[in-house]
Amino acid sequence: MKKMLSKKEIKIVLEKLMERFPDAKAELDFTNSFELLIATILSAQCTDVQVNKTTSTLFKELKTPEDYIKLSEEELGTRIKSCGFYKTKSKNILETCKLLIENHNSQVPDTMEKLTTLPGVGRKTANVVLSNAFDTPAIAVDTHVFRVANRIGLANSANVLDTERDLMDNIEREMWSKAHHLLIFHGRRICKARKPLCDICPITDYCFYYKKEVKQ
């Protein structure tokens, strides 16, 4: 049997996290869906802080898919090198831009099916774009969401996809996007990977990790 909190308890947990993090939102800087798509591709295995430093210059120079495809992989790579894995990211971004021009009239598509046909765009990236650019309820499971959700008991799964399914089952649809941001804020500020700050955590009364690993 899966070890998870009840839906009533999960609702209380989210309410407590909203009290702690009332301003929880996307921390990538963007002004439109295309910028968000590029920023999210760059954010793979890179901090949002570093991505924002890179895009603060990048987005002033490159504003449309047409702008990007004028560059070679090497030229784009030099601009995004600080985000890591720049060769792969450069290739994926340029191929994505070509597909946006050829198949989507240079517009970012607004469905999971179409987004995940783009190079470098998996379910996590697609969910980020759907949620933040198109206001579509979605739960993007990144490393923070995966760790925190399973640690607390909002999910009980060994992989990202099953964790996403658990969260979608356990959280009301209209709260999916907000829950995503709350779990990321909690993971970055309190429920850290190596040493969670349980002494200042507002949800220890409900957290399986705290009860099993800390309280005893």
Side-chain angles (χ1 to χ4, degrees):
M1 180 179 293
K2 286 190 173 184
K3 188 176 182 181
M4 288 187 285
L5 297 172
S6 68
K7 291 185 178 181
K8 182 179 180 180
E9 289 172 323
I10 290 173
K11 186 175 181 180
I12 294 172
V13 165
L14 293 177
E15 288 172 351
K16 288 183 175 296
L17 290 179
M18 279 193 286
E19 291 175 4
R20 176 61 66 92
F21 308 112
D23 299 322
K25 59 181 177 57
E27 294 189 283
L28 288 172
D29 294 334
F30 66 97
T31 62
N32 56 55
S33 58
F34 179 63
E35 288 185 352
L36 177 60
L37 175 61
I38 298 301
T40 309
I41 293 174
L42 290 175
S43 72
Q45 296 180 286
C46 182
T47 66
D48 287 357
V49 172
Q50 183 57 55
V51 172
N52 289 339
K53 288 180 181 178
T54 300
T55 57
S56 65
T57 300
L58 188 72
F59 290 165
K60 290 178 182 177
E61 177 189 2
L62 307 173
K63 301 182 182 299
T64 66
E66 288 80 2
D67 291 336
Y68 281 82
I69 65 168
K70 294 175 184 176
L71 302 178
S72 66
E73 289 182 21
E74 292 75 19
E75 288 171 332
L76 179 57
T78 61
R79 290 163 170 79
I80 64 172
K81 192 171 185 177
S82 60
C83 291
F85 300 95
Y86 66 95
K87 292 182 179 179
T88 298
K89 292 178 182 179
S90 178
K91 181 179 180 181
N92 285 338
I93 288 171
L94 291 179
E95 290 182 356
T96 284
C97 287
K98 290 175 184 176
L99 289 177
L100 290 178
I101 294 168
E102 293 171 1
N103 300 335
H104 303 287
N105 195 31
S106 297
Q107 300 299 308
V108 176
D110 60 358
T111 67
M112 172 66 71
E113 292 72 23
K114 291 179 180 178
L115 280 166
T116 50
T117 65
L118 301 172
V121 180
R123 284 191 65 86
K124 187 208 81 170
T125 296
N127 276 326
V128 169
V129 173
L130 290 171
S131 174
N132 295 287
F134 299 110
D135 293 325
T136 300
I139 299 179
V141 180
D142 65 359
T143 55
H144 297 292
V145 173
F146 178 77
R147 177 182 74 254
V148 173
N150 284 288
R151 213 180 236 177
I152 296 170
L154 278 65
N156 185 14
S157 299
N159 61 69
V160 168
L161 183 58
D162 286 339
T163 296
E164 182 184 339
R165 289 171 177 158
D166 281 349
L167 292 173
M168 291 169 70
D169 287 342
N170 292 331
I171 298 171
E172 295 178 0
R173 189 172 187 272
E174 60 269 22
M175 274 295 296
W176 286 356
S177 296
K178 187 65 174 178
H180 160 76
H181 295 308
L182 290 170
L183 293 176
I184 289 177
F185 265 57
H186 189 55
R188 286 176 174 166
R189 292 157 175 80
I190 295 178
C191 197
K192 299 182 179 184
R194 294 184 180 180
K195 190 176 181 181
L197 307 179
C198 297
D199 56 321
I200 62 169
C201 178
I203 57 172
T204 51
D205 288 346
Y206 299 91
C207 177
F208 283 138
Y209 173 86
Y210 178 79
K211 292 176 180 178
K212 181 180 179 181
E213 303 293 336
V214 181
K215 190 175 181 180
Q216 288 185 344

